[in-house]
Amino acid sequence: MKKWVTGLAAILMAFSLAACSKTVATTSGGKITESEYYDSMKKTSSGKQVLQQMILDKVLEGNYGKKVSDKKVTAQYNTAKKQYGSSFNSILQQNGMTKSSYKKQLRSSLLLQEAVKANTKVTNKQLQKQWKSYQPKVTVGHILLKGNDAGKKQAETIIASLKKDGSYKNFKALAKKYSTDTQTKNSGGKLPAFDNTDTSLVSAFKNAAFKLKQGEFTAQPVKTSYGYHVIYSIKNPGKGKLSDHKAELKKQILDDKMQDSTYMQKVISKELKKGKVNIKDSDLKDILSDYIGTSSSSK
């Protein structure tokens, strides 16, 4: 997938295929024309990757463009913007992105998701397997203490206080007083909602959180590489029945498929073959050979 999902730095090097050769830049030693720039770019791996991505985007746009609305793209954009808060713009800059190019990348990803969905039949057996590890999104608060004996003792003291008053109000007060997590201590230790697909939290923490019913807290300190935690369940809808979560289970299965490079190559190959790609430049006739097996025509 890395070959397809290129960075914005490469995308910005997209070249013009216009027949006329306009001047791109002038120097004391002469000018650089579009045709010179194009001839140079098409020989580089980054230039070829840009063209591959452009071809794939065009093919997928033709097949699935109607299923990916601007509203969907904007929703994903706003989710990311909210997640990173005030640092969102600086993160875009660090990755060589603009707001416009990031939205374009999101659209490419959504189009690819639609292609995976169209080329994947999710079976009941797969749903049953995914159900075993499935956990719906839960929201918890945590109080983080040091990972030494003093931290463990402090965690036990906090748990003793919660056994007397197990309200979230009390938990928030304790978090503000004791937690070493400076990012969450003033907001009741509250963390973003997460489910079984989360990769940002360690397993020991997630497993302890999933076991708690709404309004419950861990009866023992939870040890992770970060220290000792006391976890409070703010919201846990419960696992329920498989039939209630088929859409979420299917999405998780499809998301897993998108992380499988071998599977994705097969999907991309099918889409490119359906897309009737015709490469006009003979120097680039084999640009898709890794995906469709044979070179595209260059008439």
Side-chain angles (χ1 to χ4, degrees), residues 106-124:
L106 288 174
R107 183 170 185 83
S108 295
S109 178
L110 287 169
L111 286 169
L112 197 53
Q113 285 180 27
E114 289 296 332
V116 172
K117 191 186 300 183
N119 286 279
T120 305
K121 182 179 180 181
V122 178
T123 65
N124 287 328

Side-chain angles (χ1 to χ4, degrees), residues 131 134-140 193-195 209-210 212-215 233-241 244-245 248:
W131 176 247
Y134 175 75
Q135 290 289 342
K137 281 194 173 184
V138 299
T139 303
V140 304
F194 59 91
D195 60 16
F210 290 141
L212 298 173
K213 293 180 180 179
Q214 190 166 311
S233 179
I234 301 170
K235 183 178 181 181
N236 187 342
K239 191 169 181 177
K241 299 180 296 183
D244 297 327
H245 302 282
E248 298 139 277

